[in-house]
Amino acid sequence: MRTRHDRVGREVGRAGETLMEVRDLHVHFELRANALMRLLGAGGRRVRAVDGVDLTLRKGEVLGLVGESGSGKSTLGRALLGLVRPTSGEIRYRDLDLATLRERELRTLRRRLQMVFQDPHAALNPTMDLRTAIGHPLRIQGLVADREAERERVVEALERTGLLPAEQFLDKLPAELSGGQKQRAVIARAIICGPELLVADEPISMLDMSVRAKILELMLGLRRDLDLTYVYITHDLATAKFFCDRVAIMYLGRIVEIGPTEEIFAAPKHPYTRALLGAVPDPDPSRSVPRDLPRGEIPDAAAPPHGCAFHPRCPVAFRPCGWEGRDLRALFERRWTERGEELMRAERPLVRSLVDVRPGVTEVRLSPPAGRSADELAAVLEQARADDPGEPLWRGVERVETGADAVTVHFAPGLDPGPLDVAGARAACHLHDPELSRQR
């Protein structure tokens, strides 16, 4: 079978062999509501941390999960190991569906599926020396017959992770180690049972800049020597470019783009990917780089936007992207922030009914306050459009109807973008749909 090589030409595994396959994975969390919230109808909300992910992980590769905080990266990584129970969907590892296994069955599998956590200071028991902490998984899995065999395995793991001479580290407590040494110890504990998959959740984000590259080089060396497969979770595109074979860009619980690292960085297909790359600082202060950063913050995962989840922040969103009443409310909030308090005092009484618009409403009926007319309200909408005709929201407005006592704004039906094959990558964006892109 054809083999592939890492960046220095070393063989790292058999290309094309599937290690894990994820299909339509959902992980939702119930929001707790007190008695008053339930009385007001606010109970029963769910955070859609992972919201329909399809993913194939190949043996020997490094797959990066990249996105802002709150995009679902860590929840997805934990779900792959059975640390978070899926709401629905499949996680096929070899011939098993991890989503259906009981905790006892998962515990046996965890010798093959391990995790490196973000905070090495919290990942180690402060009262446990390294010999005990690193050897503990061997005892749990029943992989050693006696303490001497356990010690030999711990020494080997310490040596592999660069904690030398290993004998001097066996009796050390975590407080006696530097941050980089602690993370090496955490990695040693993760590899001691001989796993084939490591999920690394931002493993260098809490380390000094001087040791980050060394930890990544260590992980690459372990990948080569132990034939490991990595899922590398990060918000740092620079390390993803260096470390990953493929990159999956996550936004609000979904993968919006996935492809080879070189393709993602050279020619990003999704507007969110382009925005992330545009936010990377340039080390040359004399070079002016155009920034096309997404406006606003990542939305509430308990009430995601209608249609494409990225459309409220997207500079190139158009008619089918899923505009709704909440977007009109956000438009006026930005308008008042930019143009000042005087305009806000003049316009807010006329559009105050936008405050009550519920998520997903695409036909918005606005009523003016007592003593004001629907024509005045319509004039405010017309002026907002005239002041910023390039605002993407207006591309999604089908019509505005002015009645005797209300103004109704009709938005075009929103469509949920499915992943499309685009020049070596897959992107969930209407811009790449030949039928829909004609509406731009």
Side-chain angles (χ1 to χ4, degrees), residues 15-83:
E17 182 181 350
T18 297
L19 179 68
M20 184 174 285
E21 194 166 7
V22 178
R23 288 292 171 262
D24 196 27
L25 185 67
H26 295 257
V27 181
H28 298 174
F29 299 106
E30 294 282 352
L31 289 178
R32 293 185 178 181
N34 57 35
L36 178 60
M37 293 174 65
R38 289 193 295 269
L39 184 64
L40 297 175
R45 300 177 71 216
R46 284 185 163 198
V47 173
R48 302 178 186 180
V50 177
D51 196 24
V53 165
D54 293 314
L55 187 66
T56 298
L57 184 62
R58 305 184 190 110
K59 183 174 174 57
E61 75 169 339
V62 179
L63 174 67
L65 298 181
V66 179
E68 294 172 280
S69 297
S71 61
K73 310 183 301 295
S74 294
T75 302
L76 175 57
R78 284 164 167 76
L80 297 182
L81 304 183
L83 299 177

Side-chain angles (χ1 to χ4, degrees), residues 363-435:
E363 185 176 305
V364 185
R365 189 176 188 275
L366 305 176
S367 301
R372 308 295 291 270
S373 70
D375 288 334
E376 289 180 273
L377 175 53
V380 168
L381 294 172
E382 290 173 7
Q383 188 60 52
R385 184 168 193 163
D387 288 343
D388 191 5
E391 161 62 44
L393 174 139
W394 303 118
R395 302 169 195 161
V397 175
E398 285 192 325
R399 66 187 185 279
V400 178
E401 297 176 342
T402 304
D405 59 352
V407 175
T408 305
V409 181
H410 298 266
F411 290 100
L415 301 175
D416 191 355
L420 299 168
D421 293 323
V422 189
R426 285 176 68 80
C429 181
H430 293 318
L431 293 170
H432 302 292
D433 188 318
E435 299 268 337

Side-chain angles (χ1 to χ4, degrees), residues 184 204 207-220 239 242-243:
R184 289 175 185 271
I204 62 171
L207 303 179
D208 292 341
M209 295 296 294
S210 59
V211 299
R212 291 184 178 186
K214 295 178 182 178
I215 295 298
L216 290 180
E217 289 285 4
L218 167 65
M219 293 174 68
L220 284 175
T239 60
F242 165 76
F243 190 57

Side-chain angles (χ1 to χ4, degrees), residues 251 256 270 305-312 314 320-322 414-417 428-430:
Y251 186 78
V256 297
H270 197 281
H306 179 57
C308 173
F310 186 60
H311 83 262
C314 181
C321 289
L415 301 175
D416 191 355
C429 181
H430 293 318

Side-chain angles (χ1 to χ4, degrees), residues 4 12-20 55-64 196-198 220 223 227-232 243-247 258-261:
R4 62 183 179 79
V12 295
R14 292 177 290 177
E17 182 181 350
T18 297
L19 179 68
M20 184 174 285
L55 187 66
T56 298
L57 184 62
R58 305 184 190 110
K59 183 174 174 57
E61 75 169 339
V62 179
L63 174 67
E196 57 180 345
L197 172 63
L198 281 186
L220 284 175
R223 172 201 186 190
D227 198 18
L228 290 174
T229 303
Y230 287 111
V231 173
Y232 178 65
F243 190 57
C244 300
D245 300 308
R246 287 192 301 149
V247 170
I258 185 170
T261 303

